[in-house]
Structures are given as structure tokens and as C-alpha cells.
Amino acid sequence: MRQITRTTNQKSSAIVRILVSLPLLGIGIQHLIGTAPLEPILRGAGIPFPELNNVIGTGAEILAGALLITGFFARAGAALTIPTMAMALYAHAVYDWADEPPVILPIALILGSLYVIWKGAGAWSLDLRNSKKTAA
């Protein structure tokens, strides 16, 4: 547990973490409120159980984005981002939908998430605040 939240005061990690969290939260909220429905994309891409995966995918995006933006268990949020964005890459590869974001977005989010897994949440994070408390 301690290894998951261990981090340093690096601002570069914090910036990457925040930049990854913003599109996750934004798109996840759009999926949730229905302005960018996910289920038709899942159906078009031939992903099994589109109703269930709609709920799971939307929840995963919002949860990962929330964990990353707060820096609370940021590595777990980054790890959750990777399979979510892998599914988005698959959908990009097999299905064209209206208002499709550029394919570089899920790739960038995967790379940013790998950086957060490697370096930790960085500055301005709850992980850093909690690690300072346990060290004292």
C-alpha cells in the first residue's frame, strides 16, 4: 500500500498527472450526462455487453480522472486509465463515429499514465501530503 502512494515533490509528475486527468474527467462526464454517449460507440466497435461496458467504462474514466486530479492513489488511477484508453484505441481502429476525438488522445493518456505509474503523483498531491505525514 505504501509503495502505491510513494511519491516525490516533482512538479513535472504533477503536471503530467493533471494533464491526464482533465480529458478523462471531461469525456467521462460527457458520457455520463449523455452529451457524448458511449454505448453507440461500443456497439459500433462490436464490443461485447455494450450496456454493461458503458457503465463500467464511464465509471472507470471518472474514477481514474478523480484519482489523478487529486493525486490520491494516483498510480491506481493511472493503472485504471490504461485499459480504458486501450479500449478507446480499439474503438478508433474499428469504428468511425461522429465527433471522434483524435487518436493521439488515448495514446497520450496511456503514455502519461505510464509516467505517473513510474514517478508517482508528484507535487500538489494527496499522496505526497500523506507520505509526509507518515514520515513525520
Side-chain angles (χ1 to χ4, degrees):
M1 173 89 127
R2 193 168 155 183
Q3 190 69 3
I4 293 172
T5 60
R6 183 182 52 82
T7 190
T8 63
N9 197 15
Q10 290 183 333
K11 290 180 178 63
S12 61
S13 295
I15 291 168
V16 170
R17 171 179 55 83
I18 292 166
L19 288 175
V20 169
S21 72
L22 293 175
L24 284 170
L25 282 172
I27 294 170
I29 290 170
Q30 287 180 339
H31 291 326
L32 183 66
I33 64 175
T35 58
L38 180 59
E39 192 172 328
I41 297 167
L42 298 172
R43 285 188 191 287
I47 294 171
F49 310 110
E51 300 88 6
L52 178 64
N53 281 313
N54 178 34
V55 173
I56 292 171
T58 300
E61 282 179 329
I62 293 171
L63 177 61
L67 291 173
L68 286 167
I69 202 157
T70 60
F72 182 68
F73 287 97
R75 283 188 170 101
L80 184 58
T81 300
I82 293 170
T84 305
M85 290 300 105
M87 189 66 68
L89 278 174
Y90 175 77
H92 270 280
V94 300
Y95 181 68
D96 292 325
W97 67 89
D99 300 327
E100 182 177 359
V103 72
I104 193 69
L105 181 62
I107 294 169
L109 294 180
I110 289 171
L111 293 174
S113 294
L114 290 171
Y115 186 82
V116 171
I117 290 170
W118 176 41
K119 290 290 193 176
W124 319 305
S125 69
L126 291 176
D127 286 349
L128 181 63
R129 177 185 279 186
N130 291 338
S131 66
K132 284 181 180 178
K133 285 181 182 178
T134 57

